[in-house]
Amino acid sequence: MKAVRIHEFGGPEVLRYEDVPDAKPRKDQVLVRVKACAMNHLDIWVRKGLPGVNLPHILGSDVAGEIVEVGEYVTGFAPGQRVLLAPMSFCNHCGFCTSGRQTLCAEFTVRGNRVDGGNCELTAVPAVSVIPIPDALGFNEAASVPLVFLTAWHMLVGLAGIRPGQTVLILGANSGVGTAAIQIAKLFRAQVIATAGDERKMQKARELGADHVIIHYQQKISVEVRKLTENAGVDIVFEHVGAATWEESLKSLKPAGKLVTCGATSGPAAAIDLRFLYSRQLSLQGSYMGTMGDLREVLGHVFAGHLKPIVDRIFPLSEARAAHEYMEKSQMFGKIVLNP
Ligand SMILES: [Zn+2]
């Protein structure tokens, strides 16, 4: 089969479109023909080099496709079924996994990080990761759902406990997680203040349901948030930008507000004044992906049409390098998808 592999870490030039042996399912696995694999910032981090990645390596966390073969021990699936794959890998038998808290499993990783991903034609995965999709959902749309909607749902619903009427600040509206978070916050009838980099992204964020959009290159986020909330601040900050916005994010919280973060796209080093943290009784929470329960829950809303995946652009898998270069320019609004 064809696959995009990296044999060394580095820039987009290390991505190689090449022939590799076909994936073969074990008796407890399902073999899936990949129809679409969506990109995430993680693809760029892994390509540049992360600990625990064995080379050569196949990138790609978000897969949708068709079942080709079902292992002898697997029940409930049939060849030809349209499915998406959970974007994570875990042992499925430790105490955390069996109590539904897969993100805490010692073997937990994102598909395409410490295990091979979906930038290929065939992938063999455990049956627990395979979820049927409705006929009405296209493969490119289905592949654009799992990682970002799972992450945003776990952050807003699982960790921050979002409630109707709350005000939420969502950083980076154009990113995959940003587009998911805006929609989830509106599903809970929250007031959404989003940030975007330019007028075009601002308009798109409004179309997704954002009540207010701050252009973060022209306006100071915390100052605008104070104006929009009559000086109160927000209940929840949805962070993933990191160093560039950290201080503004903290300043935007109301007393007892919660900041949940899942990333550090602009850099990992951030400072905090502890007096500000305790006197305002803020909560800071880190989030990494989400559980199978979160995924099933958010997919229910996607399949019912309440939440919509946003596809920005589709590239052939053979042009993965151009897709990486495009993502690194941050011009997208929503997901970039590769088609084998
Ligand atoms: Zn486990």
Side-chain angles (χ1 to χ4, degrees):
M1 66 169 177
K2 290 286 186 194
V4 171
R5 293 201 298 185
I6 52 170
H7 295 254
E8 60 190 316
F9 298 122
E13 70 282 357
V14 302
L15 298 161
R16 283 198 220 164
Y17 184 66
E18 58 190 4
D19 289 305
V20 304
D22 280 4
K24 292 259 188 299
R26 297 187 320 234
K27 289 181 177 178
D28 61 343
Q29 288 186 324
V30 173
L31 184 68
V32 173
R33 179 168 301 283
V34 179
K35 295 285 191 180
C37 185
M39 287 182 63
N40 293 281
H41 257 283
L42 179 70
D43 298 72
I44 291 171
W45 299 129
V46 173
R47 193 200 70 214
K48 287 180 175 173
L50 285 183
V53 177
N54 294 314
L55 300 173
H57 177 74
I58 301 175
L59 300 168
S61 308
D62 278 328
V63 174
E66 242 170 43
I67 294 181
V68 179
E69 194 181 324
V70 180
E72 186 186 336
Y73 301 160
V74 178
T75 54
F77 293 108
Q81 239 179 326
R82 302 170 77 253
V83 296
L84 62 75
L85 303 185
M88 61 281 208
S89 172
F90 46 88
C91 84
N92 205 28
H93 55 76
C94 73
F96 290 121
C97 285
T98 52
S99 63
R101 294 177 291 165
Q102 293 87 8
T103 57
L104 302 174
C105 172
E107 289 182 28
F108 186 86
T109 189
V110 185
R111 185 174 308 289
N113 183 0
R114 281 183 289 142
V115 296
D116 274 340
N119 282 189
C120 54
E121 291 178 308
L122 293 167
T123 186
V125 297
V128 67
S129 307
V130 182
I131 299 174
I133 58 174
D135 290 342
L137 191 64
F139 288 119
N140 290 317
E141 287 71 27
S144 298
V145 173
L147 191 146
V148 292
F149 277 92
L150 168 68
T151 299
W153 187 269
H154 186 63
M155 289 170 74
L156 288 174
V157 185
L159 297 175
I162 188 170
R163 294 196 307 276
Q166 287 190 316
T167 304
V168 184
L169 171 64
I170 295 170
L171 280 289
N174 66 304
S175 66
V177 281
T179 60
I182 290 172
Q183 294 182 66
I184 292 168
K186 291 315 292 180
L187 194 67
F188 282 81
R189 303 194 306 281
Q191 277 280 111
V192 172
I193 303 172
T195 76
D198 59 42
E199 297 278 345
R200 180 184 69 98
K201 292 172 184 169
M202 175 169 145
Q203 190 47 42
K204 285 182 174 275
R206 281 190 197 283
E207 286 165 20
L208 276 182
D211 299 283
H212 307 281
V213 185
I214 298 168
I215 300 203
H216 54 240
Y217 293 123
Q218 295 166 12
Q219 299 169 292
K220 212 164 164 59
I221 294 171
S222 65
V223 172
E224 294 304 311
V225 164
R226 293 285 157 193
K227 278 188 207 161
L228 292 167
T229 58
E230 292 172 348
N231 222 25
V234 299
D235 297 282
I236 299 169
V237 174
F238 184 95
E239 246 292 349
H240 54 102
V241 179
T245 51
W246 181 255
E247 198 182 330
E248 288 300 300
S249 291
L250 282 177
K251 281 188 187 163
S252 300
L253 283 169
K254 65 164 64 160
K258 294 176 182 175
L259 181 153
V260 191
T261 182
C262 69
T265 313
S266 65
I272 183 164
D273 182 336
L274 293 174
R275 295 166 299 184
F276 188 73
L277 177 70
Y278 66 66
S279 64
R280 294 180 71 81
Q281 299 160 67
L282 306 176
S283 298
L284 305 181
Q285 175 89 55
S287 181
Y288 187 55
M289 301 290 283
T291 67
M292 285 303 293
D294 292 317
L295 183 60
R296 295 276 181 175
E297 214 171 6
V298 75
L299 284 177
H301 294 285
V302 173
F303 296 164
H306 304 145
L307 299 171
K308 293 196 190 322
I310 308 297
V311 178
D312 175 90
R313 196 163 156 187
I314 298 159
F315 290 81
L317 180 62
S318 56
E319 290 172 24
R321 178 176 174 169
H324 275 240
E325 286 164 350
Y326 177 65
M327 178 174 246
E328 286 184 309
K329 287 192 197 124
S330 278
Q331 287 309 301
M332 67 282 182
F333 192 96
K335 304 297 285 180
I336 302 164
V337 185
L338 299 172
N339 285 175

